Amino acid sequence: MSVRIKVDINAAKIAQKKGLDHRGAAQRFFTHEVRRLSDPYVPKKTGVLKNTAVENIDSITYPQIYAKKQYYGNRGNGLRGKYWDRRMVAQRGKALVNSVINFINRRG
């Protein structure tokens, strides 16, 4: 005797409910967390560079004319310096991943 079970999963609907769809809530949360966790690593003289960052859905833009020079050439002072996003991920990557997982799990 055999039993046949048909399982129909609407993966797109589940992903949307969890905020995992393209440009969804999880992506926006991830982008915000990257900016928040990167903040202590962004070079700061007056704070204009870090305070004028613009969060898009899947990117962060630093619109100041000197942002590129700071990103590639800043010698740094403490945590702050060049390649701030990469250094943040190297040091705080696990915290970033855990916060995104917690966000997704809260979305029931």
Side-chain angles (χ1 to χ4, degrees):
M1 176 181 234
S2 66
V3 176
R4 179 179 229 165
I5 300 172
K6 182 178 178 185
V7 178
D8 185 20
I9 297 175
N10 188 340
K13 191 170 186 173
I14 293 169
Q16 185 177 20
K17 182 179 179 184
K18 291 284 193 176
L20 297 172
D21 53 323
H22 180 64
R23 302 168 65 91
Q27 175 64 56
R28 290 191 305 273
F29 179 80
F30 174 77
T31 302
H32 177 72
E33 282 295 283
V34 169
R35 179 176 179 208
R36 184 181 71 80
L37 293 174
S38 295
D39 192 66
Y41 298 84
V42 178
K44 176 185 168 188
K45 188 172 188 177
T46 62
V48 174
L49 178 62
K50 70 180 199 72
N51 293 335
T52 58
V54 177
E55 285 182 27
N56 302 306
I57 291 173
D58 59 358
S59 67
I60 302 166
T61 304
Y62 294 86
Q64 300 304 316
I65 59 173
Y66 54 87
K68 185 175 182 179
K69 184 177 180 182
Q70 292 295 315
Y71 184 78
Y72 292 108
N74 187 290
R75 288 189 305 256
N77 184 10
L79 283 179
R80 300 186 185 280
K82 63 183 175 180
Y83 302 113
W84 53 82
D85 59 333
R86 296 177 190 180
R87 291 184 303 106
M88 179 279 294
V89 169
Q91 293 178 349
R92 307 276 319 269
K94 288 183 182 178
L96 174 63
V97 169
N98 287 335
S99 67
V100 174
I101 288 170
N102 289 337
F103 174 82
I104 293 167
N105 287 337
R106 285 192 307 264
R107 290 189 56 92

